Amino acid sequence: MDVFEEFYLKTQNFTFTLIPDNYPKVYEGVKVISLPKPREIRENFQRVITSRSSTRKFKEEKVDIHTISDLLYYSVGVRKKDSEIIYRMFPSAGGLAETEVYLIPFISDLEIGVYHYNPLYHSLEKLNNEIQLEILKSNIVSSIPDINTIPLLIILTTRYWKVLVKYGNRGARFALIDAGIVMENLYLVATALSLGICAVGGFNDYILNTALNLKEGEAVIGVLVVGKKME
């Protein structure tokens, strides 16, 4: 039995309950940076779809806070709120939006550190985590041999407990699908903003989970490098 078949067999059961809500994670008692109002993106959708690609060569230029605001809002932001229901920029299983977004800006207007994106208030929450960012950075670089620098590091986590509670062990499949949708959103919005972007597959799970100080029920599921691309 191969790895995929084993995963398939272990995630066959389907149950259904209405317990979880779709509210994003919020950090209390941390520094909050309000992001600028997102700007309108005027770009041809066909060009965005056909020109989307992975970039491994980035300029050593700052990604300004307005661009960060646009990227996060149009990829994973809140498009409307109706009573207790939050509508995001991406679909997800049961509308749970269990994928969370963290940002580590190495070359930007922001102070270097670990930030969590709060889509409800379109803001960044600066975490008080004491981590060795250079070790984390070198881990990412070593997994993409031809990458030259890391302007922004975007880390996706899944609060998988939400989909497991609602859908049983089949929720493990949904968590993977949902993270993939968010990743594609980031690719498309980055392309529309003329940014380079590259998904990272070989990251060290332990280093990242420890860096974010994640609790049980949440784990890193995807990593991307974003920045101004070399022509």
Side-chain angles (χ1 to χ4, degrees), residues 86-109:
I86 300 168
Y87 295 89
R88 303 288 292 275
M89 294 295 188
F90 57 94
S92 60
L96 293 175
E98 76 282 359
T99 308
E100 297 283 340
V101 177
Y102 295 80
L103 173 73
I104 301 179
F106 289 103
I107 310 175
S108 78
D109 293 341

Side-chain angles (χ1 to χ4, degrees), residues 11-230:
T11 59
Q12 288 188 97
N13 295 339
F14 181 90
T15 57
F16 185 80
T17 175
L18 293 175
I19 293 174
D21 60 44
N22 71 343
Y23 273 67
K25 187 176 182 180
V26 176
Y27 284 86
E28 304 288 349
V30 298
K31 181 179 179 181
V32 176
I33 296 96
S34 296
L35 291 170
K37 182 180 179 180
R39 301 167 295 188
E40 183 178 358
I41 300 177
R42 294 182 175 273
E43 185 54 85
N44 180 277
F45 183 69
Q46 182 178 343
R47 189 203 72 80
V48 171
I49 286 289
T50 56
S51 60
R52 179 214 47 78
S53 63
S54 293
T55 300
R56 292 177 178 82
K57 297 297 181 184
F58 298 92
K59 294 180 179 179
E60 292 273 357
E61 290 185 16
K62 286 184 177 181
V63 181
D64 64 79
I65 197 166
H66 290 278
T67 302
I68 292 173
S69 171
D70 297 340
L71 176 65
L72 293 176
Y73 176 73
Y74 289 111
S75 297
V76 294
V78 172
R79 53 192 180 90
K80 69 175 181 176
K81 188 173 182 291
D82 182 9
S83 185
E84 294 302 309
I85 301 175
I86 300 168
Y87 295 89
R88 303 288 292 275
M89 294 295 188
F90 57 94
S92 60
L96 293 175
E98 76 282 359
T99 308
E100 297 283 340
V101 177
Y102 295 80
L103 173 73
I104 301 179
F106 289 103
I107 310 175
S108 78
D109 293 341
L110 296 165
E111 179 185 358
I112 296 177
V114 181
Y115 298 81
H116 172 257
Y117 176 58
N118 185 327
L120 267 178
Y121 299 101
H122 190 51
S123 61
L124 292 173
E125 299 162 340
K126 190 174 188 299
L127 309 190
N128 299 320
N129 299 2
E130 301 242 344
I131 64 172
Q132 295 179 302
L133 289 172
E134 288 307 314
I135 292 177
L136 188 152
K137 189 176 180 180
S138 65
N139 168 247
I140 301 300
V141 169
S142 66
S143 67
I144 311 177
D146 52 348
I147 199 168
N148 64 322
T149 189
I150 300 177
L152 302 178
L153 192 64
I154 293 178
I155 304 171
L156 305 180
T157 71
T158 176
R159 291 201 290 165
Y160 58 86
W161 69 268
K162 298 178 79 173
V163 284
L164 293 180
V165 167
K166 186 165 186 175
Y167 296 115
N169 61 10
R170 186 170 286 252
R173 302 186 193 187
F174 299 157
L176 297 173
I177 293 168
D178 292 348
I181 293 170
V182 170
M183 193 170 287
E184 177 70 357
N185 264 20
L186 286 162
Y187 258 84
L188 295 176
V189 176
T191 302
L193 294 171
S194 298
L195 294 171
I197 185 168
C198 182
V200 180
F203 57 86
N204 184 299
D205 295 77
Y206 175 78
I207 289 176
L208 289 173
N209 286 322
T210 302
L212 299 180
N213 193 27
L214 300 181
K215 307 302 181 185
E216 186 177 358
E218 181 178 7
V220 172
I221 200 168
V223 177
L224 305 101
V225 178
V226 181
K228 296 184 179 179
K229 60 184 176 180
M230 288 186 175

